[in-house]
């Protein structure tokens, strides 16, 4: 606890702090919200109100068709297509569920979240309710119809990361694969003394990770060139197409099952 920070902010009583991005950019400035409520239900209601600010409310069915469900223009550029990923909740509720509001904060600047409260006169037009529509430039699917597509933060977060990944996700995947490869190389080492085995382990891990960091430094430099923007957009579209396919769904469900068992995940390499 930093007493000087609390005194400078005027925080003299126990309170709850909520940090969230100020604007709509992925890496925007952070603002702090404070809450001095003590009852759990009141705290959850306050959290829902704060997090729901990034979930756009669609008021009319015409706005739903034109602004959300309308097909992407085939003549639009790749850069325009990549910002068109949307998550739309069709429901009778007036406010989005807490997990969807939390995801709207996490994917700020990458995915647009919305909610449409279905009225009686529009019930026959929208189909089954509630429904989570995942709207991409290529296709529109209903979330929750495949394996491991549950309505919680963990499952939907994995799904959204698969269809709209960021550079940090690629780096973590490459780091995991490289270290798995380093462990595989270590298993091929045969030595009589334990210190030679330990030295071989450390040397293999250090060399593999240094090579990985060097490759990423070069890659970051190349990605700053304007020529590579179209290539990156094409790669994102290809990754999204694979993630939305049946094969991508099976890989994602197996990955979530693997993460549930931590011991099996650690021993899997």
């Amino acid at each position: 606890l930093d007493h000087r920070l609390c005194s400078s902010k005027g925080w003299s009583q126990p309170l709850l702090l909520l940090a969230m991005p100020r604007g709509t950019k992925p890496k925007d400035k952070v603002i702090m919200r404070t809450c001095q409520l003590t009852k759990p239900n009141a705290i959850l209601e306050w959290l829902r109100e704060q997090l729901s600010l990034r979930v756009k409310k669609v008021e009319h069915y015409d706005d739903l068709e034109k602004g959300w469900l309308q097909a992407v223009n085939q003549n639009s550029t790749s850069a325009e297509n990549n910002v068109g990923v949307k998550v739309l909740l069709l429901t009778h509720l007036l406010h989005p569920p807490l997990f969807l509001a939390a995801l709207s904060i996490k994917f700020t600047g990458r995915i647009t979240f919305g909610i449409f409260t279905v009225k009686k006169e529009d019930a026959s037009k929208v189909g089954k309710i509630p429904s989570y529509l995942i709207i991409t430039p290529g296709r529109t699917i209903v979330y929750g119809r495949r394996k491991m597509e549950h309505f919680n933060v963990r499952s939907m977060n994995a799904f959204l990361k698969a269809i709209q990944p960021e550079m940090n996700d690629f780096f973590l995947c490459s780091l995991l694969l490289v270290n798995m490869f380093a462990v595989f190389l270590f298993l091929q080492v045969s030595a009589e003394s334990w210190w030679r085995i330990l030295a071989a382990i450390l040397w293999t891990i250090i060399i593999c990770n240094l090579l990985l960091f060097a490759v990423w430094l070069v890659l970051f430099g190349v990605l700053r060139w304007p020529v590579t923007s179209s290539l990156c957009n094409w790669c994102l579209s290809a990754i999204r197409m694979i993630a939305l396919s049946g094969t991508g769904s099976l890989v994602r469900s197996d990955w979530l099952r693997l993460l549930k068992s931590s011991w099996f995940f650690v021993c899997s390499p």
Side-chain angles (χ1 to χ4, degrees):
L1 181 62
D2 192 341
H3 296 282
R4 289 183 297 179
L5 176 63
C6 294
S7 60
S8 63
K9 297 292 185 180
W11 299 334
S12 58
Q13 298 178 354
L15 49 83
L16 178 66
L17 293 178
L18 176 64
M20 53 193 302
R22 175 178 297 177
T24 58
K25 297 180 180 179
K27 304 295 182 182
D28 212 333
K29 295 182 179 180
V30 176
I31 58 175
M32 304 291 291
R33 304 287 187 182
T34 60
C35 174
Q36 296 182 349
L37 301 174
T38 56
K39 295 183 179 180
N41 291 335
I43 293 176
L44 290 176
E45 182 66 20
W46 177 81
L47 280 174
R48 185 191 59 76
E49 291 179 358
Q50 296 296 325
L51 298 179
S52 299
L53 296 176
R54 299 301 169 85
V55 181
K56 298 181 179 180
K57 291 187 177 181
V58 185
E59 300 294 340
H60 306 287
Y61 184 78
D62 293 337
D63 299 333
L64 178 69
E65 281 191 325
K66 296 179 181 179
W68 291 79
L69 301 180
Q70 189 176 17
V72 178
N73 187 5
Q74 298 296 330
N75 296 326
S76 60
T77 62
S78 299
E80 292 173 347
N81 288 344
N82 281 321
V83 298
V85 180
K86 303 174 183 177
V87 177
L88 178 64
L89 170 60
L90 305 177
T91 180
H92 290 301
L93 301 176
L94 297 177
H95 304 285
L98 187 58
F99 84 92
L100 187 68
L103 287 172
S104 68
I105 299 296
K106 184 172 184 178
F107 288 90
T108 297
R110 297 164 58 189
I111 298 177
T112 304
F113 289 77
I115 179 174
F116 177 67
T117 303
V118 181
K119 304 178 180 64
K120 292 183 179 180
E121 57 270 19
D122 298 328
S124 59
K125 302 178 183 178
V126 298
K128 186 179 179 180
I129 300 172
S131 294
Y132 289 85
L133 300 183
I134 310 298
I135 306 168
T136 67
R139 57 187 295 194
T140 299
I141 67 169
V142 179
Y143 176 84
R145 294 183 176 179
R146 296 178 178 177
K147 293 181 179 180
M148 300 298 292
E149 291 185 357
H150 304 306
F151 301 111
N152 54 43
V153 173
R154 185 177 186 180
S155 298
M156 186 169 280
N157 177 62
F159 180 87
L160 296 179
K161 276 191 173 184
I163 65 173
Q164 191 71 5
E166 61 178 355
M167 194 60 66
N168 188 49
D169 299 326
F170 291 112
F171 174 74
L172 292 177
C173 289
S174 63
L175 185 64
L176 176 63
L177 293 175
V178 165
N179 282 276
M180 290 175 64
F181 178 72
V183 172
F184 176 76
L185 291 179
F186 157 69
L187 296 177
Q188 309 299 320
V189 176
S190 59
E192 297 179 356
S193 56
W194 64 269
W195 64 269
R196 290 186 177 180
I197 297 178
L198 181 60
I201 296 174
L202 295 177
W203 178 256
T204 303
I205 293 177
I206 291 174
I207 291 299
C208 290
N209 283 276
L210 286 178
L211 290 176
L212 175 65
F213 293 149
V215 170
W216 271 102
L217 288 175
V218 174
L219 184 61
F220 274 122
V222 173
L223 290 177
R224 293 181 179 179
W225 298 349
V227 183
T228 59
S229 60
S230 58
L231 178 61
C232 292
N233 292 331
W234 182 86
C235 292
L236 284 176
S237 300
I239 291 173
R240 186 182 302 125
M241 182 177 62
I242 296 173
L244 293 175
S245 64
T247 304
S249 176
L250 291 175
V251 172
R252 192 167 51 251
S253 62
D254 291 341
W255 174 256
L256 290 175
R257 289 192 183 97
L258 186 63
L259 291 179
K260 282 186 176 181
S261 179
S262 57
W263 286 105
F264 180 72
F265 177 74
V266 172
C267 299
S268 59

